[in-house]
C-alpha cells in the first residue's frame, strides 16, 4: 500500500534537492484536457537534471509514495491525472528541455524529455531535417510523454509512431537507478529491449528523461490532395493504389466524413471547405517525393487512376504551400469541432485494414438500435486507426445521453475487438481504459505485464493505477 | 538449479504428446555453424502445434528442465548450442512452418515460426509483395529464430530489422501459457510491448510459435551499383548524398574493402570482380524506386554527383537483373571467403555513423601493435554495422594466433564501446557474448533484464545460460 506525499515526505525530499525543485500544485498539473475528472497531488517536483530525478524517485521508492510523471498534460486517457488514493507526487519534466546534441549527418537528435514536440521539430528543421511525429497537441505535448505513450498522429503510415522514431533513452527506473541508454545506433542486439518496454508503458516502469531520436531528410517535394471517394472501401482501394504507385512515399492518408465537414460548417464556419457540396467521404493524402518526381503530377496521376477505377469521384490538389496548410487545417480542426459539438463517447480504435470498411458499414446500424446518434468517423485510415465518435442528434445534448455512454462504448469496443482490432490505437490505457484492457487483453500478456511491473517496481510507486489496476 | 532432460523426464513428457514428437538427438541439433563447440541434449522435441509447445514448456517448467528453442541452427553466437550443465531439451520448430493466412491488400502475412526466411519471402512474392528481411543464411534460418535474435541483414537501412517487420506474435511463455498476440494492426497501444520484449530475447523469455509480418509493395524499379570511394569517410558522405537525393529509397548501402576482394580472388577465383584493379574501398548500393523514376538514371545521377564532390572514383551500374544478381553474389560470398581464409577473431559491431570512418582509420594501427594481421572490414555501412574481422597474414594460420584472439577481440570491442558503439549489432548475445554484455552493458539495464527474466521465468528453464549468466 502506498503512502501519501504528505508534508513530512515533501520536507524530507526537499532537503535532498535544490531549493526550488519542489513547489506547489498549480491547477494545470491536475487538469484533464477533456474535463472529465480532477487530479490531486501533494507537491510538484520540477527537476533540472537526471540526477535530481534519480533522487526524487529513489526517495519516493523508499517512502512508498506514488509518482506521476507529467509531460505536457495533453494525454486523453487520464494517464497524468490521479483522482483518488494516497496523494502522489507529480514529477514534471518541464525544466529538462535542452537539446543535448544534434548529429545532422547521422540524422540523429539527442534531446531531453521536457522539450515540446514542436521544439523537437524545430530543432530538426534548423539542420534541414525533419522529425516526422506530428499531432494536434504538438505545441504543448512533450517528447517524453510522446514516447511514454507511444504517440501516433498523422505521419505514422510512412515514418512510424514514436516507438519507431526512437533510437535510445535515458531513464530513471523505479528504484532510482539511471539507465544510460542514449545510443545513436541503428542496430544494437545486446540484450532485452528495455527501450521498447519503457516506450508505451505510460510512466509505470520508469521516467524517460532524455532520448536520441531518428531524423529524416526532408523530401524534395511535398504534395497534398483531397480526394472524394465512393465509400470507405473505395478509400482503402485508393490507399492500395497509392502504395503501389508511390510505395513508401505516402506520408498521410486521412479519412474525413461528411459528418466531420458538417460539424465544421456548424461550429467553425470560418473554415473553408474544399468542395461546394460536402461529400459523404473523402481522404486527405500527403506525399513526399525525391528529386525527379513532381508531387502534383504524382497526385494527379493517382487521381486519374482512382477515377478510372471508379474509386474517386472528385478531388483537388493543393497548388501552393499556403493551400497545403489550409487543407491540413481542415483536418486538424476536426477534433476541436467535435469538442464544441460535444461527443457522448469517443473511441480510438484500430482494425486490420481489411476489416475497416465492413466495420464502418455495420457499426452505425448496430448503434442505431441504442438510439439516434450522429457519428463522426475519421482518422488515420492508412494505419487502420479510426476515431469513431458518437454525438447527440441536433437539439439534444451529451448530458441527456450520459446513461447511454457505457453501452455505446461497449458496443464499439466489442465490435472492434471481435474483428481483431484494438480499443486503444494511439492514446494508450491511462486510467480511463484499465477496465477495457482487463476485458479485451490477452490473459497471458496481462499476467506477463503484471509480473514485469512487480519485478521492476515492487513498491508500485510509478504512476500508480495507470495501465494496470492497483492491487490493494 | 536445473534438472537434466533424463530418460524419466523424456518418458513422462512423451506420454503427454503425440507418439513422434520426441525423438533422438541428431548431430545437426548440436552443431555450431562455425564449429567452435559442440552442444548436448537429452532429447529433441518437434511439435506440430502451439498446444504441443505449451505442453512441452509447462512440463519442463514443472520438472525444471532447460529448453533450448531451435530454429535453423544458423545463429553465430551459440544461442542454440549448450555445451555444459544439465542436459537440456531441444525444442525444434521445424514442423511448424505453415503459412496461416495471407492478407495481400493489408500487406500482412501470418506464418508459423518454423518457416524458413526464404519460404516467407516466397509467400510474399506469390502475392506480388516483398518481405524485405534478407540475409545470407535465409535458406535455412527460420523466421522464429530471425525474430528471437532480431536479425538484420542487408535491407535494414530502408526496411528495418526483424523487429520492425513484425506486427504480432503467438508465443508460449516460460510457464507454458500461450500468448495469442497475432494482431494485424499498425497501431495498438494496449499495454506493455511484450512483442518487442520477446523479439531479441533469444528464446530466454519464451518461444515464438507464429508471427504476423509486414509485407511491402515491390518497388516499380530496382537498381544496383558498385561505386569506388576514396575512403570510408567518403562512403559516408556518399550515403548522405544518396539519402538527400533519394530519401528513404536506398535499400542497401554495403561497404566492401580491397581486402575482401583480395580474399575472394584468393579462394573464390570464379567470382567475377567488378573492377580490373581492385579498389581499396567500394560500396554496393541498392535502390528501389516508384513509377516515374528510372533506377539506372538515378544511380548515374548519384555517381556523377559523387564524382563531382570528390567522393567517388569509379563505378559500374548493373544493366540487367542478371548483373544485379552477380553484383550481389560478390557481396554475399564475402562471408564464405572469410570462412575459407579462417579468421582469428570476427566482430559484429555497430557505431554511430559519425564515428565509423575514424574508427576504421584508428583501429587498424592499434591492432598492429599486437602483431601483423589482415583486416577485412565490411558490412552494412548504412546502419553503422561493421563486420570487422581479423585474419592471419599469408603463410600463417589462425591456429598460430589462438593466443591473440582475446586481446584482438578486447581491443576491437573496447574501441567500439568507447565511441558509443555496440559489441553485437545484429548477431545477438547467445552464450558467446555473455561476458561482453556484462562488461559493456549498462548496469541499470542489466539489473532490469535480470529482474524481468526472474519474473517471467522463475525456474530459469528458457534457453538457460544464453544472454544472461546462469545463477548457480
Amino acid at each position: 500500500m502506498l503512502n501519501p506525499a504528505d508534508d513530512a515526505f515533501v520536507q524530507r525530499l526537499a532537503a535532498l534537492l535544490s531549493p526550488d525543485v519542489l513547489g506547489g500544485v498549480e491547477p494545470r498539473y491536475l487538469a484533464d484536457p477533456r474535463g472529465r475528472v480532477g487530479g490531486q497531488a501533494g507537491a510538484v517536483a520540477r527537476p533540472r537534471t537526471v540526477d535530481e530525478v534519480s533522487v526524487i524517485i529513489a526517495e519516493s521508492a523508499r517512502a512508498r509514495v506514488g509518482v506521476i510523471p507529467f509531460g505536457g498534460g495533453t494525454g486523453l486517457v487520464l494517464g497524468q491525472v490521479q483522482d483518488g488514493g494516497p496523494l502522489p507526487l507529480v514529477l514534471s519534466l518541464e525544466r529538462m528541455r535542452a537539446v543535448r546534441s544534434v548529429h545532422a549527418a547521422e540524422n540523429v537528435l539527442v534531446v531531453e524529455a521536457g522539450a515540446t514536440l514542436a521544439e523537437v521539430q524545430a530543432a530538426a528543421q534548423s539542420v534541414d531535417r525533419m522529425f516526422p511525429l506530428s499531432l494536434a497537441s504538438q505545441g504543448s505535448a512533450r517528447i517524453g510523454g510522446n514516447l511514454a505513450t507511444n504517440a501516433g498522429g498523422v505521419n505514422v503510415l510512412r515514418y512510424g509512431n514514436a516507438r519507431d522514431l526512437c533510437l535510445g533513452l535515458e531513464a530513471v527506473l523505479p528504484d532510482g537507478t539511471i539507465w544510460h541508454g542514449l545510443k545513436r545506433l541503428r542496430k544494437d542486439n545486446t540484450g532485452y529491449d528495455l527501450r521498447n518496454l519503457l516506450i508505451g508503458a505510460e510512466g509505470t516502469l520508469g521516467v524517460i528523461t532524455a532520448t536520441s531520436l531518428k531524423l529524416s531528410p526532408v523530401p524534395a517535394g511535398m504534395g497534398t490532395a483531397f480526394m472524394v471517394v465512393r465509400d470507405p472501401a473505395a478509400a482503402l482501394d485508393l490507399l492500395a493504389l497509392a502504395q503501389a504507385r508511390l510505395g513508401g512515399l505516402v506520408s498521410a492518408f486521412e479519412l474525413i466524413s461528411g459528418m466531420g465537414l458538417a460539424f465544421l460548417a456548424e461550429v467553425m464556419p470560418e473554415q473553408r471547405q474544399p468542395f461546394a457540396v460536402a461529400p459523404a467521404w473523402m481522404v486527405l493524402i500527403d506525399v513526399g517525393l525525391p528529386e525527379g518526381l513532381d508531387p502534383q503530377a504524382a497526385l494527379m496521376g493517382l487521381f486519374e487512376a482512382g477515377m478510372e477505377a471508379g474509386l474517386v469521384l472528385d478531388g483537388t490538389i493543393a497548388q501552393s504551400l499556403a493551400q497545403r496548410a489550409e487543407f491540413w487545417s481542415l483536418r486538424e480542426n476536426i477534433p476541436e469541432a467535435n469538442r464544441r459539438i460535444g461527443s457522448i463517447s469517443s473511441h480510438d480504435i484500430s482494425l486490420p485494414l481489411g476489416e475497416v470498411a465492413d466495420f464502418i458499414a455495420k457499426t452505425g446500424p448496430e448503434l442505431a438500435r441504442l438510439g439516434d446518434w450522429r457519428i463522426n468517423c475519421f482518422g488515420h485510415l492508412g494505419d487502420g486507426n479510426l476515431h469513431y465518435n458518437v454525438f447527440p442528434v441536433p437539439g439534444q445534448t451529451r448530458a441527456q445521453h450520459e446513461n447511454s455512454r457505457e453501452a455505446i462504448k461497449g458496443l464499439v469496443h466489442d465490435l472492434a475487438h471481435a474483428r481483431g482490432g484494438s480499443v486503444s490505437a494511439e492514446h494508450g490505457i491511462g486510467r480511463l481504459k484499465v477496465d477495457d484492457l482487463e476485458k479485451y487483453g490477452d490473459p497471458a500478456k496481462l499476467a506477463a505485464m503484471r509480473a514485469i511491473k512487480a519485478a521492476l517496481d515492487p513498491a508500485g510507486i510509478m504512476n500508480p493505477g495507470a495501465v494496470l489496476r492497483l492491487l490493494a
Side-chain angles (χ1 to χ4, degrees), chain A:
Chain A
M1 198 55 195
L2 293 173
N3 297 314
D6 57 17
D7 287 351
F9 170 76
V10 172
Q11 283 170 30
R12 208 160 65 242
L13 183 57
L16 303 172
L17 297 164
S18 302
D20 66 343
V21 170
L22 289 185
V25 187
E26 295 166 38
R28 67 190 173 99
Y29 296 113
L30 306 178
D32 164 27
R34 289 191 174 163
R36 291 160 295 192
V37 300
Q40 52 160 18
V44 174
R46 299 187 298 159
R48 290 188 177 80
T49 66
V50 62
D51 290 323
E52 287 181 337
V53 177
S54 170
V55 167
I56 292 164
I57 301 289
E59 187 58 25
S60 299
R62 246 187 306 272
R64 302 179 79 89
V65 166
V67 177
I68 302 194
F70 192 91
T74 59
L76 296 174
V77 290
L78 308 180
Q80 73 282 28
V81 184
Q82 182 187 314
D83 67 341
L87 277 185
L89 179 72
V90 165
L91 171 60
S92 169
L93 279 297
E94 68 199 73
R95 283 173 172 163
M96 292 184 64
R97 61 203 296 169
V99 173
R100 291 213 189 143
S101 59
V102 186
H103 310 267
E106 292 181 12
N107 284 313
V108 174
L109 177 69
V110 182
V111 66
E112 291 184 341
T116 66
L117 177 51
E119 288 168 348
V120 172
Q121 291 166 343
Q125 263 163 13
S126 72
V127 292
D128 261 337
R129 297 292 188 277
M130 63 184 283
F131 181 66
L133 192 70
S134 176
L135 31 89
S137 59
Q138 60 200 26
S140 353
R142 299 180 191 277
I143 190 67
N146 293 150
L147 287 165
T149 59
N150 188 28
V154 294
N155 291 327
V156 173
L157 181 61
R158 175 165 179 180
Y159 295 100
N161 47 25
R163 182 186 303 291
D164 300 307
L165 300 170
C166 174
L167 293 173
L169 294 177
E170 175 190 87
V172 177
L173 302 183
D175 61 356
T177 57
I178 302 171
W179 172 38
H180 297 282
L182 283 180
K183 300 243 170 127
R184 286 148 42 204
L185 305 173
R186 307 282 161 164
K187 281 182 175 171
D188 180 23
N189 278 351
T190 51
Y192 301 164
D193 190 357
L194 191 56
R195 169 169 54 94
N196 278 315
L197 189 61
L198 291 182
I199 295 173
E202 305 184 32
T204 63
L205 299 177
V207 184
I208 294 167
T209 54
T211 176
S212 45
L213 297 170
K214 272 190 219 172
L215 306 181
S216 290
V218 181
M222 317 271 279
T224 304
F226 281 120
M227 295 192 196
V228 176
V229 289
R230 211 184 49 222
D231 54 26
L236 286 154
D237 289 343
L238 183 65
L239 171 64
L241 197 60
Q243 297 286 45
R245 294 173 67 97
L246 299 165
L249 302 174
V250 183
S251 42
F253 198 91
E254 298 284 306
L255 183 69
I256 296 171
S257 75
M259 191 64 81
L261 296 173
F263 282 6
L264 284 168
E266 185 177 334
V267 297
M268 303 176 84
E270 70 282 9
Q271 172 70 53
R272 192 147 127 207
Q273 300 235 353
F275 300 102
V277 178
W281 295 102
M282 63 184 206
V283 289
L284 176 62
I285 308 174
D286 221 52
V287 299
L289 304 184
E291 278 182 31
L293 283 182
D294 175 50
Q296 292 185 23
L299 286 167
M300 183 53 80
L302 176 63
F303 172 74
E304 288 168 356
M307 288 281 278
E308 198 166 315
L311 307 170
V312 173
L313 308 174
D314 197 357
T316 175
I317 297 171
Q319 300 298 319
S320 64
L321 280 178
Q323 210 177 9
R324 277 193 70 212
E326 193 191 7
F327 281 20
W328 272 102
S329 86
L330 184 137
R331 166 65 183 84
E332 283 159 2
N333 276 327
I334 290 176
E336 175 59 20
N338 286 345
R339 208 187 55 76
R340 294 192 198 172
I341 298 280
S343 79
I344 303 166
S345 188
S346 298
H347 313 97
D348 165 41
I349 58 172
S350 64
L351 292 154
L353 283 182
E355 298 285 343
V356 170
D358 199 52
F359 173 87
I360 294 175
K362 303 253 170 80
T363 302
E366 289 283 332
L367 278 171
R369 297 189 196 181
L370 301 178
D372 289 337
W373 324 109
R374 289 188 291 177
I375 295 167
N376 187 10
C377 169
F378 66 103
H380 318 298
L381 188 67
D383 315 316
N385 179 189
L386 300 178
H387 297 305
Y388 192 97
N389 297 356
V390 180
F391 299 81
V393 293
Q396 302 194 347
T397 65
R398 62 197 299 191
Q400 291 173 268
H401 295 286
E402 282 293 335
N403 294 338
S404 301
R405 176 168 298 154
E406 280 303 308
I408 293 171
K409 188 188 82 168
L411 194 147
V412 172
H413 284 180
D414 282 352
L415 293 176
H417 180 71
R419 292 169 184 272
S422 166
V423 300
S424 185
E426 58 176 8
H427 294 168
I429 299 298
R431 291 173 178 80
L432 187 69
K433 294 188 176 177
V434 170
D435 290 346
D436 289 309
L437 181 59
E438 289 180 356
K439 179 173 176 188
Y440 300 109
D442 178 86
K445 177 176 169 178
L446 280 167
M449 286 174 56
R450 292 191 187 104
I452 291 166
K453 170 73 174 176
L456 297 183
D457 183 15
I461 62 160
M462 290 309 308
N463 213 1
V467 184
L468 293 171
R469 188 178 304 280
L470 268 186
L471 300 179

